PDB file of all heavy atoms in Angstrom:
ATOM      1  N   TYR A  11      -0.971 130.145  81.901  1.00  0.00           N
ATOM      2  CA  TYR A  11      -0.547 131.533  82.034  1.00  0.00           C
ATOM      3  C   TYR A  11      -1.137 132.044  83.340  1.00  0.00           C
ATOM      4  O   TYR A  11      -2.358 131.958  83.535  1.00  0.00           O
ATOM      5  CB  TYR A  11      -1.063 132.374  80.856  1.00  0.00           C
ATOM      6  CG  TYR A  11      -0.253 132.238  79.584  1.00  0.00           C
ATOM      7  CD1 TYR A  11      -0.858 132.254  78.335  1.00  0.00           C
ATOM      8  CD2 TYR A  11       1.134 132.111  79.637  1.00  0.00           C
ATOM      9  CE1 TYR A  11      -0.117 132.128  77.167  1.00  0.00           C
ATOM     10  CE2 TYR A  11       1.879 131.985  78.463  1.00  0.00           C
ATOM     11  CZ  TYR A  11       1.255 131.993  77.236  1.00  0.00           C
ATOM     12  OH  TYR A  11       1.988 131.874  76.087  1.00  0.00           O
ATOM     13  N   ILE A  20      -4.916 134.475  83.618  1.00  0.00           N
ATOM     14  CA  ILE A  20      -5.424 135.522  82.725  1.00  0.00           C
ATOM     15  C   ILE A  20      -5.946 134.906  81.433  1.00  0.00           C
ATOM     16  O   ILE A  20      -6.265 135.609  80.481  1.00  0.00           O
ATOM     17  CB  ILE A  20      -4.317 136.563  82.449  1.00  0.00           C
ATOM     18  CG1 ILE A  20      -4.916 137.807  81.814  1.00  0.00           C
ATOM     19  CG2 ILE A  20      -3.200 135.975  81.598  1.00  0.00           C
ATOM     20  CD1 ILE A  20      -3.977 138.975  81.731  1.00  0.00           C
ATOM     21  N   SER A  21      -6.049 133.570  81.426  1.00  0.00           N
ATOM     22  CA  SER A  21      -6.478 132.875  80.200  1.00  0.00           C
ATOM     23  C   SER A  21      -7.775 132.090  80.439  1.00  0.00           C
ATOM     24  O   SER A  21      -7.860 131.285  81.376  1.00  0.00           O
ATOM     25  CB  SER A  21      -5.351 131.920  79.770  1.00  0.00           C
ATOM     26  OG  SER A  21      -5.867 130.749  79.198  1.00  0.00           O
ATOM     27  N   GLY A  22      -8.763 132.321  79.585  1.00  0.00           N
ATOM     28  CA  GLY A  22     -10.039 131.614  79.720  1.00  0.00           C
ATOM     29  C   GLY A  22      -9.897 130.094  79.668  1.00  0.00           C
ATOM     30  O   GLY A  22     -10.398 129.395  80.561  1.00  0.00           O
ATOM     31  N   PRO A  23      -9.215 129.547  78.652  1.00  0.00           N
ATOM     32  CA  PRO A  23      -9.070 128.094  78.597  1.00  0.00           C
ATOM     33  C   PRO A  23      -8.346 127.530  79.824  1.00  0.00           C
ATOM     34  O   PRO A  23      -8.702 126.459  80.327  1.00  0.00           O
ATOM     35  CB  PRO A  23      -8.252 127.859  77.322  1.00  0.00           C
ATOM     36  CG  PRO A  23      -8.531 129.057  76.462  1.00  0.00           C
ATOM     37  CD  PRO A  23      -8.718 130.199  77.409  1.00  0.00           C
ATOM     38  N   CYS A  24      -7.344 128.271  80.336  1.00  0.00           N
ATOM     39  CA  CYS A  24      -6.653 127.810  81.549  1.00  0.00           C
ATOM     40  C   CYS A  24      -7.627 127.838  82.735  1.00  0.00           C
ATOM     41  O   CYS A  24      -7.626 126.952  83.591  1.00  0.00           O
ATOM     42  CB  CYS A  24      -5.442 128.690  81.874  1.00  0.00           C
ATOM     43  SG  CYS A  24      -4.142 128.592  80.633  1.00  0.00           S
ATOM     44  N   LYS A  26     -10.776 127.363  82.609  1.00  0.00           N
ATOM     45  CA  LYS A  26     -11.687 126.220  82.478  1.00  0.00           C
ATOM     46  C   LYS A  26     -11.065 124.963  83.121  1.00  0.00           C
ATOM     47  O   LYS A  26     -11.723 124.260  83.900  1.00  0.00           O
ATOM     48  CB  LYS A  26     -11.907 126.016  80.974  1.00  0.00           C
ATOM     49  CG  LYS A  26     -12.951 125.058  80.579  1.00  0.00           C
ATOM     50  CD  LYS A  26     -13.058 125.099  79.037  1.00  0.00           C
ATOM     51  CE  LYS A  26     -13.351 123.767  78.467  1.00  0.00           C
ATOM     52  NZ  LYS A  26     -13.212 123.730  76.998  1.00  0.00           N
ATOM     53  N   PRO A  46       5.918 132.345  75.293  1.00  0.00           N
ATOM     54  CA  PRO A  46       5.603 131.299  74.308  1.00  0.00           C
ATOM     55  C   PRO A  46       6.709 130.239  74.228  1.00  0.00           C
ATOM     56  O   PRO A  46       6.426 129.060  74.020  1.00  0.00           O
ATOM     57  CB  PRO A  46       5.495 132.081  72.992  1.00  0.00           C
ATOM     58  CG  PRO A  46       5.152 133.471  73.393  1.00  0.00           C
ATOM     59  CD  PRO A  46       5.816 133.696  74.722  1.00  0.00           C
ATOM     60  N   VAL A  49       6.160 127.785  76.867  1.00  0.00           N
ATOM     61  CA  VAL A  49       4.976 126.968  76.552  1.00  0.00           C
ATOM     62  C   VAL A  49       5.347 125.884  75.536  1.00  0.00           C
ATOM     63  O   VAL A  49       4.973 124.722  75.677  1.00  0.00           O
ATOM     64  CB  VAL A  49       3.820 127.851  76.014  1.00  0.00           C
ATOM     65  CG1 VAL A  49       2.664 126.988  75.515  1.00  0.00           C
ATOM     66  CG2 VAL A  49       3.332 128.825  77.087  1.00  0.00           C
ATOM     67  N   ARG A  50       6.145 126.284  74.531  1.00  0.00           N
ATOM     68  CA  ARG A  50       6.470 125.339  73.463  1.00  0.00           C
ATOM     69  C   ARG A  50       7.275 124.137  73.986  1.00  0.00           C
ATOM     70  O   ARG A  50       7.193 123.045  73.445  1.00  0.00           O
ATOM     71  CB  ARG A  50       7.202 126.059  72.326  1.00  0.00           C
ATOM     72  CG  ARG A  50       6.838 125.458  70.982  1.00  0.00           C
ATOM     73  CD  ARG A  50       6.928 126.388  69.803  1.00  0.00           C
ATOM     74  NE  ARG A  50       5.821 127.320  69.745  1.00  0.00           N
ATOM     75  CZ  ARG A  50       5.942 128.633  69.802  1.00  0.00           C
ATOM     76  NH1 ARG A  50       7.122 129.189  69.934  1.00  0.00           N
ATOM     77  NH2 ARG A  50       4.875 129.412  69.724  1.00  0.00           N
ATOM     78  N   ARG A  55       2.305 122.416  70.312  1.00  0.00           N
ATOM     79  CA  ARG A  55       1.266 123.251  69.695  1.00  0.00           C
ATOM     80  C   ARG A  55       1.370 124.704  70.174  1.00  0.00           C
ATOM     81  O   ARG A  55       0.687 125.581  69.652  1.00  0.00           O
ATOM     82  CB  ARG A  55      -0.134 122.742  70.072  1.00  0.00           C
ATOM     83  CG  ARG A  55      -0.466 121.351  69.584  1.00  0.00           C
ATOM     84  CD  ARG A  55      -1.960 121.062  69.895  1.00  0.00           C
ATOM     85  NE  ARG A  55      -2.205 119.655  70.133  1.00  0.00           N
ATOM     86  CZ  ARG A  55      -3.343 119.175  70.653  1.00  0.00           C
ATOM     87  NH1 ARG A  55      -4.320 119.983  70.983  1.00  0.00           N
ATOM     88  NH2 ARG A  55      -3.501 117.884  70.836  1.00  0.00           N
ATOM     89  N   GLY A  56       2.162 124.946  71.226  1.00  0.00           N
ATOM     90  CA  GLY A  56       2.402 126.320  71.694  1.00  0.00           C
ATOM     91  C   GLY A  56       1.238 126.922  72.460  1.00  0.00           C
ATOM     92  O   GLY A  56       1.119 128.145  72.530  1.00  0.00           O
ATOM     93  N   ARG A  57       0.374 126.086  73.036  1.00  0.00           N
ATOM     94  CA  ARG A  57      -0.794 126.607  73.753  1.00  0.00           C
ATOM     95  C   ARG A  57      -0.856 126.079  75.183  1.00  0.00           C
ATOM     96  O   ARG A  57      -0.422 124.956  75.447  1.00  0.00           O
ATOM     97  CB  ARG A  57      -2.097 126.186  73.048  1.00  0.00           C
ATOM     98  CG  ARG A  57      -2.188 126.506  71.577  1.00  0.00           C
ATOM     99  CD  ARG A  57      -2.442 127.972  71.349  1.00  0.00           C
ATOM    100  NE  ARG A  57      -2.578 128.261  69.937  1.00  0.00           N
ATOM    101  CZ  ARG A  57      -3.738 128.541  69.340  1.00  0.00           C
ATOM    102  NH1 ARG A  57      -4.831 128.592  70.033  1.00  0.00           N
ATOM    103  NH2 ARG A  57      -3.754 128.800  68.052  1.00  0.00           N
ATOM    104  N   VAL A  58      -1.448 126.879  76.033  1.00  0.00           N
ATOM    105  CA  VAL A  58      -1.846 126.427  77.366  1.00  0.00           C
ATOM    106  C   VAL A  58      -3.367 126.533  77.448  1.00  0.00           C
ATOM    107  O   VAL A  58      -3.951 127.329  76.695  1.00  0.00           O
ATOM    108  CB  VAL A  58      -1.193 127.283  78.477  1.00  0.00           C
ATOM    109  CG1 VAL A  58       0.228 126.878  78.727  1.00  0.00           C
ATOM    110  CG2 VAL A  58      -1.318 128.780  78.207  1.00  0.00           C
ATOM    111  N   PRO A  59      -4.012 125.752  78.303  1.00  0.00           N
ATOM    112  CA  PRO A  59      -3.466 124.921  79.366  1.00  0.00           C
ATOM    113  C   PRO A  59      -2.925 123.572  78.875  1.00  0.00           C
ATOM    114  O   PRO A  59      -3.328 123.080  77.819  1.00  0.00           O
ATOM    115  CB  PRO A  59      -4.697 124.676  80.251  1.00  0.00           C
ATOM    116  CG  PRO A  59      -5.830 124.616  79.268  1.00  0.00           C
ATOM    117  CD  PRO A  59      -5.495 125.674  78.249  1.00  0.00           C
ATOM    118  N   PRO A  69      -2.675 118.355  76.423  1.00  0.00           N
ATOM    119  CA  PRO A  69      -2.944 119.751  76.060  1.00  0.00           C
ATOM    120  C   PRO A  69      -4.413 119.943  75.679  1.00  0.00           C
ATOM    121  O   PRO A  69      -5.119 118.958  75.456  1.00  0.00           O
ATOM    122  CB  PRO A  69      -2.052 119.971  74.833  1.00  0.00           C
ATOM    123  CG  PRO A  69      -1.810 118.625  74.258  1.00  0.00           C
ATOM    124  CD  PRO A  69      -2.106 117.587  75.306  1.00  0.00           C
ATOM    125  N   ASP A  70      -4.839 121.192  75.634  1.00  0.00           N
ATOM    126  CA  ASP A  70      -6.172 121.626  75.188  1.00  0.00           C
ATOM    127  C   ASP A  70      -7.209 121.424  76.301  1.00  0.00           C
ATOM    128  O   ASP A  70      -7.381 120.314  76.806  1.00  0.00           O
ATOM    129  CB  ASP A  70      -6.626 120.875  73.921  1.00  0.00           C
ATOM    130  CG  ASP A  70      -7.887 121.513  73.345  1.00  0.00           C
ATOM    131  OD1 ASP A  70      -8.988 121.205  73.835  1.00  0.00           O
ATOM    132  OD2 ASP A  70      -7.760 122.362  72.455  1.00  0.00           O
ATOM    133  N   SER A  71      -7.909 122.519  76.620  1.00  0.00           N
ATOM    134  CA  SER A  71      -8.848 122.463  77.741  1.00  0.00           C
ATOM    135  C   SER A  71      -9.932 121.403  77.552  1.00  0.00           C
ATOM    136  O   SER A  71     -10.336 120.759  78.520  1.00  0.00           O
ATOM    137  CB  SER A  71      -9.474 123.839  77.968  1.00  0.00           C
ATOM    138  OG  SER A  71     -10.254 124.219  76.857  1.00  0.00           O
ATOM    139  N   SER A  72     -10.397 121.193  76.314  1.00  0.00           N
ATOM    140  CA  SER A  72     -11.464 120.204  76.122  1.00  0.00           C
ATOM    141  C   SER A  72     -10.901 118.785  76.202  1.00  0.00           C
ATOM    142  O   SER A  72     -11.489 117.907  76.840  1.00  0.00           O
ATOM    143  CB  SER A  72     -12.153 120.409  74.772  1.00  0.00           C
ATOM    144  OG  SER A  72     -12.760 121.676  74.748  1.00  0.00           O
ATOM    145  N   LEU A  74      -8.262 117.827  77.794  1.00  0.00           N
ATOM    146  CA  LEU A  74      -7.843 117.462  79.157  1.00  0.00           C
ATOM    147  C   LEU A  74      -9.047 117.238  80.069  1.00  0.00           C
ATOM    148  O   LEU A  74      -8.997 116.436  81.004  1.00  0.00           O
ATOM    149  CB  LEU A  74      -6.824 118.460  79.717  1.00  0.00           C
ATOM    150  CG  LEU A  74      -7.207 119.877  80.111  1.00  0.00           C
ATOM    151  CD1 LEU A  74      -7.759 119.945  81.507  1.00  0.00           C
ATOM    152  CD2 LEU A  74      -5.968 120.766  79.996  1.00  0.00           C
ATOM    153  N   ASP A 106     -15.692 128.254  73.866  1.00  0.00           N
ATOM    154  CA  ASP A 106     -14.298 128.134  73.413  1.00  0.00           C
ATOM    155  C   ASP A 106     -14.035 128.935  72.138  1.00  0.00           C
ATOM    156  O   ASP A 106     -12.951 129.485  71.957  1.00  0.00           O
ATOM    157  CB  ASP A 106     -13.945 126.667  73.122  1.00  0.00           C
ATOM    158  CG  ASP A 106     -13.878 125.828  74.392  1.00  0.00           C
ATOM    159  OD1 ASP A 106     -14.049 126.388  75.484  1.00  0.00           O
ATOM    160  OD2 ASP A 106     -13.661 124.611  74.276  1.00  0.00           O
ATOM    161  N   GLU A 107     -15.013 128.941  71.253  1.00  0.00           N
ATOM    162  CA  GLU A 107     -14.747 129.505  69.920  1.00  0.00           C
ATOM    163  C   GLU A 107     -15.336 130.889  69.694  1.00  0.00           C
ATOM    164  O   GLU A 107     -14.957 131.570  68.757  1.00  0.00           O
ATOM    165  CB  GLU A 107     -15.275 128.554  68.821  1.00  0.00           C
ATOM    166  CG  GLU A 107     -14.801 127.113  68.933  1.00  0.00           C
ATOM    167  CD  GLU A 107     -13.278 126.980  68.889  1.00  0.00           C
ATOM    168  OE1 GLU A 107     -12.617 127.867  68.328  1.00  0.00           O
ATOM    169  OE2 GLU A 107     -12.770 125.984  69.432  1.00  0.00           O
ATOM    170  N   TYR A 110     -14.767 133.218  74.017  1.00  0.00           N
ATOM    171  CA  TYR A 110     -13.324 133.383  74.237  1.00  0.00           C
ATOM    172  C   TYR A 110     -12.778 134.553  73.414  1.00  0.00           C
ATOM    173  O   TYR A 110     -12.019 135.375  73.907  1.00  0.00           O
ATOM    174  CB  TYR A 110     -12.610 132.077  73.840  1.00  0.00           C
ATOM    175  CG  TYR A 110     -11.107 132.183  73.748  1.00  0.00           C
ATOM    176  CD1 TYR A 110     -10.337 132.354  74.892  1.00  0.00           C
ATOM    177  CD2 TYR A 110     -10.447 132.111  72.526  1.00  0.00           C
ATOM    178  CE1 TYR A 110      -8.945 132.449  74.815  1.00  0.00           C
ATOM    179  CE2 TYR A 110      -9.068 132.209  72.437  1.00  0.00           C
ATOM    180  CZ  TYR A 110      -8.321 132.378  73.585  1.00  0.00           C
ATOM    181  OH  TYR A 110      -6.955 132.486  73.512  1.00  0.00           O
ATOM    182  N   VAL A 114     -10.898 138.041  74.336  1.00  0.00           N
ATOM    183  CA  VAL A 114      -9.575 138.340  73.778  1.00  0.00           C
ATOM    184  C   VAL A 114      -9.602 139.702  73.082  1.00  0.00           C
ATOM    185  O   VAL A 114      -8.771 140.577  73.348  1.00  0.00           O
ATOM    186  CB  VAL A 114      -9.161 137.217  72.789  1.00  0.00           C
ATOM    187  CG1 VAL A 114      -8.013 137.654  71.907  1.00  0.00           C
ATOM    188  CG2 VAL A 114      -8.789 135.958  73.558  1.00  0.00           C
ATOM    189  N   ARG A 117     -10.066 142.834  75.395  1.00  0.00           N
ATOM    190  CA  ARG A 117      -8.942 143.138  76.293  1.00  0.00           C
ATOM    191  C   ARG A 117      -7.693 143.595  75.542  1.00  0.00           C
ATOM    192  O   ARG A 117      -6.884 144.326  76.070  1.00  0.00           O
ATOM    193  CB  ARG A 117      -8.566 141.900  77.121  1.00  0.00           C
ATOM    194  CG  ARG A 117      -9.515 141.643  78.245  1.00  0.00           C
ATOM    195  CD  ARG A 117      -9.010 140.528  79.127  1.00  0.00           C
ATOM    196  NE  ARG A 117      -8.840 139.292  78.374  1.00  0.00           N
ATOM    197  CZ  ARG A 117      -8.349 138.190  78.884  1.00  0.00           C
ATOM    198  NH1 ARG A 117      -7.959 138.145  80.129  1.00  0.00           N
ATOM    199  NH2 ARG A 117      -8.250 137.105  78.170  1.00  0.00           N
ATOM    200  N   THR A 150       0.485 138.226  68.378  1.00  0.00           N
ATOM    201  CA  THR A 150      -0.102 136.881  68.264  1.00  0.00           C
ATOM    202  C   THR A 150      -1.621 136.953  68.361  1.00  0.00           C
ATOM    203  O   THR A 150      -2.348 136.315  67.588  1.00  0.00           O
ATOM    204  CB  THR A 150       0.438 135.973  69.400  1.00  0.00           C
ATOM    205  OG1 THR A 150       1.851 135.993  69.340  1.00  0.00           O
ATOM    206  CG2 THR A 150      -0.064 134.558  69.283  1.00  0.00           C
ATOM    207  N   VAL A 151      -2.090 137.768  69.318  1.00  0.00           N
ATOM    208  CA  VAL A 151      -3.536 137.878  69.527  1.00  0.00           C
ATOM    209  C   VAL A 151      -4.218 138.408  68.269  1.00  0.00           C
ATOM    210  O   VAL A 151      -5.252 137.900  67.835  1.00  0.00           O
ATOM    211  CB  VAL A 151      -3.826 138.793  70.742  1.00  0.00           C
ATOM    212  CG1 VAL A 151      -5.273 139.245  70.763  1.00  0.00           C
ATOM    213  CG2 VAL A 151      -3.490 138.076  72.043  1.00  0.00           C
ATOM    214  N   ARG A 154      -4.441 135.689  65.702  1.00  0.00           N
ATOM    215  CA  ARG A 154      -5.489 134.708  66.041  1.00  0.00           C
ATOM    216  C   ARG A 154      -6.880 135.302  65.804  1.00  0.00           C
ATOM    217  O   ARG A 154      -7.784 134.631  65.329  1.00  0.00           O
ATOM    218  CB  ARG A 154      -5.393 134.292  67.513  1.00  0.00           C
ATOM    219  CG  ARG A 154      -4.051 133.743  67.921  1.00  0.00           C
ATOM    220  CD  ARG A 154      -4.019 132.227  67.801  1.00  0.00           C
ATOM    221  NE  ARG A 154      -2.735 131.716  68.248  1.00  0.00           N
ATOM    222  CZ  ARG A 154      -1.889 131.043  67.486  1.00  0.00           C
ATOM    223  NH1 ARG A 154      -2.186 130.776  66.236  1.00  0.00           N
ATOM    224  NH2 ARG A 154      -0.742 130.604  67.970  1.00  0.00           N
ATOM    225  N   MET A 204     -14.767 131.816  80.694  1.00  0.00           N
ATOM    226  CA  MET A 204     -14.546 132.899  79.724  1.00  0.00           C
ATOM    227  C   MET A 204     -15.100 134.215  80.270  1.00  0.00           C
ATOM    228  O   MET A 204     -14.463 135.264  80.143  1.00  0.00           O
ATOM    229  CB  MET A 204     -15.200 132.583  78.374  1.00  0.00           C
ATOM    230  CG  MET A 204     -14.736 131.303  77.717  1.00  0.00           C
ATOM    231  SD  MET A 204     -12.948 131.124  77.545  1.00  0.00           S
ATOM    232  CE  MET A 204     -12.809 129.341  77.406  1.00  0.00           C
TER     233      MET A 204
HETATM  234  N1  GSH B   1      -8.624 125.531  72.190  1.00  0.00           N
HETATM  235  C1  GSH B   1      -7.524 125.701  73.111  1.00  0.00           C
HETATM  236  C2  GSH B   1      -7.117 127.172  73.114  1.00  0.00           C
HETATM  237  C3  GSH B   1      -5.938 127.424  74.001  1.00  0.00           C
HETATM  238  C4  GSH B   1      -5.358 128.808  73.765  1.00  0.00           C
HETATM  239  O1  GSH B   1      -5.544 129.445  72.731  1.00  0.00           O
HETATM  240  N2  GSH B   1      -4.611 129.270  74.758  1.00  0.00           N
HETATM  241  C5  GSH B   1      -3.948 130.557  74.635  1.00  0.00           C
HETATM  242  C6  GSH B   1      -3.894 131.240  75.983  1.00  0.00           C
HETATM  243  S1  GSH B   1      -5.467 131.916  76.342  1.00  0.00           S
HETATM  244  C7  GSH B   1      -2.524 130.338  74.163  1.00  0.00           C
HETATM  245  O2  GSH B   1      -1.856 129.451  74.618  1.00  0.00           O
HETATM  246  N3  GSH B   1      -2.105 131.170  73.221  1.00  0.00           N
HETATM  247  C8  GSH B   1      -0.794 131.142  72.710  1.00  0.00           C
HETATM  248  C9  GSH B   1      -0.830 131.386  71.229  1.00  0.00           C
HETATM  249  O3  GSH B   1      -1.910 131.633  70.694  1.00  0.00           O
HETATM  250  O4  GSH B   1       0.248 131.343  70.633  1.00  0.00           O
HETATM  251  C10 GSH B   1      -7.958 125.231  74.506  1.00  0.00           C
HETATM  252  O5  GSH B   1      -9.159 125.276  74.800  1.00  0.00           O
HETATM  253  O6  GSH B   1      -7.092 124.828  75.288  1.00  0.00           O
END
Side-chain angles (χ1 to χ4, degrees):
Y11 280 144
I20 194 169
S21 145
C24 295
K26 189 176 144 191
V49 172
R50 214 152 284 119
R55 297 187 210 168
R57 307 285 182 106
V58 281
D70 190 278
S71 64
S72 298
L74 71 85
D106 291 357
E107 308 301 335
Y110 168 70
V114 164
R117 283 187 301 176
T150 305
V151 164
R154 304 267 182 241
M204 302 308 158

